[in-house]
Amino acid sequence: MATKLPTSAHTGRPWRIHEIAGDFRVEDVWAFRTPGAGPGDFAAMLAAMRAAGGPARQTAPVRFLFAVRWKLGALLGWDTPEAGTGGRVDSLRRRMPADLREAPQGPDDPDMPLKPLYELDDEAARELANKTVHTVMHLSWVAAGDGDHELRMAVLVKPNGTFGRLYMAGIAPFRHLLVYPALTRQWERAWREFGPAGPEAKPAGSTGRVPAGAVARAVGSRVPPRLRALSSMPDFDYADAFSLATDSAERTPEQWARAMFGDVPGPGERLIWRGLLGLRLDYRRGPDTVAGWRVAARGEDWIRLETASWFLTGNLVVRTAEGRVTLVTFLRYDRLLGRIVWPPLSAVHRGLVPGVLRGAAAKSR
């Protein structure tokens, strides 16, 4: 879980935000866990947070809370353009020195109420203004006590008079009981699922061999390009990759694939692949199939299996390199049903794959 930090954890560091928000009050400072993160991973963390989605991907109670807030704002005129930056208050961009104005801002997502100010190598800031408050969300990247780096968030506020101070006091319990715990789950999960400590990567700062049995993963855009290039589908809609550190270097990619899935599909594979996804499987044992999937292509250190149903097409790629075996899954949604069926099943899939890899490794002992 996230850790609440004292105000000095933010004010005691030489962040650039101090140059333009010195008249703002530090409302909260939090640290979020990012295991294995290194000093150069801040941009990857920001990308992971964006990949995980914004408020629309929060829990139902948090979405309801925000819906009530925006409805009240619409009824009472809290969020009109005149009450925002460029209206009631100037944007902090007007205070920024030339080098900050020329720095990258970060993407301006229309679904994100907070608008970008800047993104640097180790800090980023966004602002929001309405009739109640002018606020800044400051994100930073700090070395933690365990040798990793961690994400920190500071909330800076400048309330609009007595009304703004009463508003901030009124929403404080909701922030601490609902919003911050939900953010913690979303952002820490984003690091685990989309962060750079993915397949075929050593942990940050590591100079030695990754321990046998350790599994790393990447989902979506975090799948490395060298693995994405092994798909037969340049237009795939879903990708994930799981990599197991192993001492069983003598196996070929095909032997690993057969150890994972068998020569013919078993009851579990038939249930998921055939029953739920409708994939066409060959139930005959032979050199050209693995667990019913067709062996479509192979290289010196990889093999690609392919099959399809009437609503999606799939690739499974097994690669062996540098003391690791990696399983990559690619799917293309050929019909709308694919977009409906796979997302909920993908969570089950991602939970099962580490066991599949470890089970295959155990068969060699």
Side-chain angles (χ1 to χ4, degrees), residues 96-168:
M96 289 165 58
D99 64 320
L100 269 187
R101 286 198 302 270
E102 295 170 2
Q105 284 184 248
D108 187 1
D109 186 343
D111 296 328
M112 180 70 168
L114 292 149
K115 299 305 174 185
L117 291 171
Y118 61 83
E119 279 190 13
L120 306 179
D121 291 340
D122 59 356
E123 66 172 299
R126 289 175 173 263
E127 68 175 342
L128 168 70
N130 52 43
K131 194 168 286 187
T132 66
V133 70
H134 189 182
T135 186
V136 174
M137 180 180 72
H138 181 264
L139 301 175
S140 58
W141 201 238
V142 178
D146 59 2
D148 293 339
H149 274 60
E150 66 185 12
L151 177 71
R152 291 188 181 177
M153 177 185 71
V155 178
L156 315 179
V157 299
K158 191 175 183 181
N160 184 17
T162 302
F163 171 62
R165 289 190 290 273
L166 291 173
Y167 172 83
M168 291 301 300

Side-chain angles (χ1 to χ4, degrees), residues 3-14:
T3 303
K4 195 176 191 308
L5 301 177
T7 298
S8 59
H10 173 74
T11 58
R13 291 183 173 271

Side-chain angles (χ1 to χ4, degrees), residues 128-321:
L128 168 70
N130 52 43
K131 194 168 286 187
T132 66
V133 70
H134 189 182
T135 186
V136 174
M137 180 180 72
H138 181 264
L139 301 175
S140 58
W141 201 238
V142 178
D146 59 2
D148 293 339
H149 274 60
E150 66 185 12
L151 177 71
R152 291 188 181 177
M153 177 185 71
V155 178
L156 315 179
V157 299
K158 191 175 183 181
N160 184 17
T162 302
F163 171 62
R165 289 190 290 273
L166 291 173
Y167 172 83
M168 291 301 300
I171 67 172
F174 299 101
R175 292 201 322 271
H176 290 94
L177 293 176
L178 290 176
V179 176
Y180 290 152
L183 272 182
T184 298
R185 290 189 293 270
Q186 186 179 39
W187 288 357
E188 293 186 351
R189 184 173 62 246
W191 175 256
R192 294 193 302 270
E193 294 192 358
F194 300 103
E200 304 184 344
K202 293 181 180 179
S206 172
T207 57
R209 181 177 174 82
V210 179
V215 176
R217 72 174 180 174
V219 182
S221 62
R222 303 310 304 170
V223 175
R226 63 181 174 274
L227 296 179
R228 297 164 72 91
L230 299 179
S231 174
S232 65
M233 304 178 293
D235 56 343
F236 58 81
D237 296 292
Y238 174 90
D240 67 38
F242 288 75
S243 182
L244 173 74
T246 177
D247 294 324
S248 303
E250 70 280 0
R251 280 187 182 176
T252 67
E254 180 176 341
Q255 288 171 332
W256 271 109
R258 294 187 184 280
M260 292 178 201
F261 305 118
D263 295 328
V264 295
E269 288 85 2
R270 294 187 187 197
L271 172 63
I272 296 175
W273 292 342
R274 183 60 185 165
L276 299 178
L277 298 178
L279 296 173
R280 292 183 286 272
L281 302 175
D282 189 335
Y283 297 102
R284 297 170 296 179
R285 188 186 306 267
D288 298 325
T289 61
V290 174
W293 292 59
R294 179 173 61 91
V295 177
R298 67 179 78 221
E300 182 178 348
D301 61 358
W302 61 274
I303 186 171
R304 184 173 71 239
L305 313 177
E306 298 181 5
T307 190
S309 71
W310 67 271
F311 60 87
L312 55 78
T313 300
N315 288 177
L316 294 176
V317 173
V318 177
R319 183 174 186 261
T320 56

